[in-house]
Amino acid sequence: MKTLNIIFGLALLFAITNANANAVEGLISVKSPLSAKATMDKFENLAKQKGLNIFARIDHAAGAKKVEQQLRPTEVLIFGNPKGGTPLMQCAQTIGIDLPLKALVWEDAQSQVWLSYNDPTYIAERHNVPNCLVATKLSKVLAALADKTVGP
């Protein structure tokens, strides 16, 4: 029985390690049931409804096509609002290098669409201000926006 518990424990540890092997530190990725275009369209519309400024929408797959390369659907939306960004930079002005915020919609090799974004609390930690309260607030706003985008 003890050997069985050890084997089970090692198998669980292996599964957890492999599940996180493709994870990128500070990047939150959620599965979308929609196409890549529909996911980005919905995210962009919801961001606008929240009062966020849309600075740019970049279609990397279209760029790849221009140089006769192929890339699965991959789009980036650059967005933000000084009401959230300014207090974040007041915690550490170097956070400005990570702003405005970005959302990435991409399709993996199995045709699964993902919505990814940098977690503001990770950004705050990266700039040595882990107690920046606005980062936690922005994390909740982005999580809600992502959930609403990929939800029913």
Side-chain angles (χ1 to χ4, degrees), residues 83-84 120-121 132-143:
K83 288 181 183 178
T121 58
C132 183
L133 297 179
V134 72
T136 303
K137 182 179 178 183
L138 289 174
S139 287
K140 290 177 184 174
V141 168
L142 283 177

Side-chain angles (χ1 to χ4, degrees), residues 35-37 40 57-64 70-77 103-109 112-114 116:
S35 70
K37 182 178 180 340
M40 185 57 88
R57 183 167 171 172
I58 301 161
D59 185 340
H60 289 298
Q70 288 188 325
L71 185 65
R72 289 184 300 276
T74 308
E75 286 191 65
V76 172
L77 188 72
L104 172 69
V105 173
W106 55 286
E107 184 181 291
D108 68 18
Q112 173 62 58
V113 174
W114 297 87
S116 301

Side-chain angles (χ1 to χ4, degrees), residues 2 20 22 27 33 43 45 52 57 61 69 91 129 136 150:
K2 187 174 183 179
N20 293 325
N22 293 325
L27 188 71
F43 184 89
N45 288 331
L52 298 170
R57 183 167 171 172
Q69 302 267 340
C91 288
V129 286
T136 303
V150 303

Side-chain angles (χ1 to χ4, degrees), residues 44-54 80-83:
E44 181 176 6
N45 288 331
L46 290 169
K48 286 178 182 175
Q49 288 174 21
K50 280 271 189 204
L52 298 170
N53 300 314
I54 306 302
N81 187 315
K83 288 181 183 178

Side-chain angles (χ1 to χ4, degrees), residues 26-44:
L27 188 71
I28 296 177
S29 296
V30 294
K31 287 183 181 182
S32 176
L34 306 171
S35 70
K37 182 178 180 340
T39 300
M40 185 57 88
D41 288 346
K42 189 173 179 182
F43 184 89
E44 181 176 6

